[in-house]
Amino acid sequence: MPQTAPRRRPAALLAVTALTPVLFGAGAAGAADTTFDRRGVAELAGAYALDRPVAAGDRSGLYAAYGLTGEVERTTDSGLSFGAVATLGSGDYERSLTRPGTNETVTLNEAYLYMISAYGQVRVGDEDGAAKRAVDLLPLIGGGQMDGLWTGLAGSAPPVDHLGRDSDDGTKILYETPRLLGLRAGVSWAPERDSLVEDIAALSPVPVEEDFWEFGLNYRTEAGRWSYELAVGYGFADSGGPNLAETETLKLAGLAIYGGFAVGAVWFMDEVGRTPGTATEQDGVTLMGSYENGPYGIALWVQDAEVERVRDWRAYGAGLSWRFTDIATLGLDLVRFETDPAGPAPESTGTVAQLSVTARF
């Protein structure tokens, strides 16, 4: 069962409100331009197990996920920008950066204040950490491939996120440099792996860590019609329980694009405290290729993940997408997965199909 740690609201609230006087006082000495932006994403998906899932449970599921984001920004005559962002939605626990999740019905997630200058940007609040922001590169299409809503079907979910362990949307302070010669660096610190509103602690397979530090480095370049992106992320945190090992994570990612073709890979290796006195190693690799031509897209991917003394998991998938309006995309994904539990339990396999509609507006 997931374990949770007591929430330390006063410290988190202090961190989030640290920039508030600066934000709303910006431009008091001179003219300032204020803008407001709103955007949203909604996804409806149906998943069906073509054969019996690994775990007992329903062979089909219907999922709805959404996020509505509002952003206000003030820019001073000197070019300094201050803003606030908040997303009301169904949560996005361990999802890629722009995809909604289904961990809650209604919650406030990724709510933060920010400041942007020629020296980079600072964010304070509930937001993904520096390592995840650096390595989350794979060009997911349609239903989302390896982090699609089909993972909610009984037995189909991998034992660990395809990006490995990170601070997720824990309340934190994040700094990122401006991109210079293709490079962007970032660092973030979360007092604990817990957020102000969204309940990410209850879904964690290990106790909530404290003092979660993340570092990220991302590099982009172009050569003719090719474009490349490389990234590395590293993080560490104190364990969230007595006699548990500390958390440490290393991630590497790469992406190459030529016209509508894209090929990418993500690898991670984590150590987390699950059992007193020991550290559990978990690692994984995801390889993905995709092609998009106008409104149509296709993706092929393979993923391998292992959690020591828990289980091995492998998946092979294909995804099709069709953008049938300016804002809406139809996705069809087919996934074959194999799971090999530790101990005497036999290896099992399953096949899942997902049909989804995603709207971005």
Side-chain angles (χ1 to χ4, degrees), residues 170-355:
T171 306
K172 60 175 60 70
I173 300 175
L174 177 142
Y175 167 72
E176 286 181 339
T177 68
R179 196 172 291 276
L180 181 64
L181 299 177
L183 285 170
R184 186 191 72 191
V187 58
S188 63
W189 171 70
E192 57 184 349
R193 195 182 189 272
D194 196 9
S195 65
L196 291 172
V197 181
E198 183 182 5
D199 192 359
I200 64 174
L203 300 176
S204 176
V206 300
V208 171
E209 296 101 330
E210 298 178 352
D211 289 328
F212 209 127
W213 287 90
E214 289 186 52
F215 304 87
L217 183 64
N218 181 281
Y219 173 69
R220 291 179 185 171
T221 188
E222 296 182 359
R225 297 183 61 185
W226 288 87
S227 61
Y228 304 93
E229 190 166 356
L230 301 172
V232 58
Y234 175 73
F236 61 89
D238 293 334
S239 65
N243 303 317
L244 293 180
E246 296 180 347
T247 290
E248 188 172 15
T249 175
L250 176 65
K251 317 171 194 293
L252 301 175
L255 177 67
I257 299 175
Y258 179 84
F261 292 93
V263 178
V266 176
W267 170 87
F268 71 87
M269 182 174 63
D270 302 337
E271 286 190 353
V272 295
R274 289 175 180 258
T275 306
T278 63
T280 296
E281 183 176 301
Q282 55 188 37
D283 57 78
V285 61
T286 302
L287 305 176
M288 182 178 179
S290 66
Y291 175 67
E292 293 184 79
N293 185 356
Y296 305 103
I298 183 172
L300 302 175
W301 61 277
V302 58
Q303 181 181 358
D304 188 284
E306 177 186 2
V307 178
E308 184 183 22
R309 299 186 298 274
V310 177
R311 63 184 169 117
D312 296 345
W313 189 88
R314 294 167 297 279
Y316 317 86
L320 300 174
S321 69
W322 171 40
R323 191 176 66 252
F324 58 93
T325 73
D326 289 341
I327 66 170
T329 300
L330 180 68
L332 175 62
D333 291 276
L334 185 66
V335 182
R336 178 73 172 176
F337 59 90
E338 305 167 355
T339 184
D340 185 9
E347 180 177 331
S348 301
T349 62
T351 304
V352 177
Q354 175 185 274
L355 182 66

Side-chain angles (χ1 to χ4, degrees), residues 33-86:
D33 179 42
T34 302
T35 61
F36 178 76
D37 179 54
R38 58 183 182 275
R39 53 192 179 271
V41 56
E43 185 171 6
L44 179 66
Y48 180 74
L50 303 182
D51 47 18
R52 176 55 59 185
V54 172
D58 295 335
R59 295 187 63 172
S60 62
L62 185 64
Y63 308 96
Y66 69 99
L68 304 172
T69 300
E71 177 177 359
V72 60
E73 181 176 285
R74 301 184 70 182
T75 303
T76 67
D77 287 343
S78 63
L80 197 64
S81 296
F82 301 85
V85 176

Side-chain angles (χ1 to χ4, degrees), residues 152-170:
L153 206 60
S156 63
V160 61
D161 180 62
H162 74 283
L163 296 175
R165 186 71 171 175
D166 55 53
S167 62
D168 203 68
D169 278 341

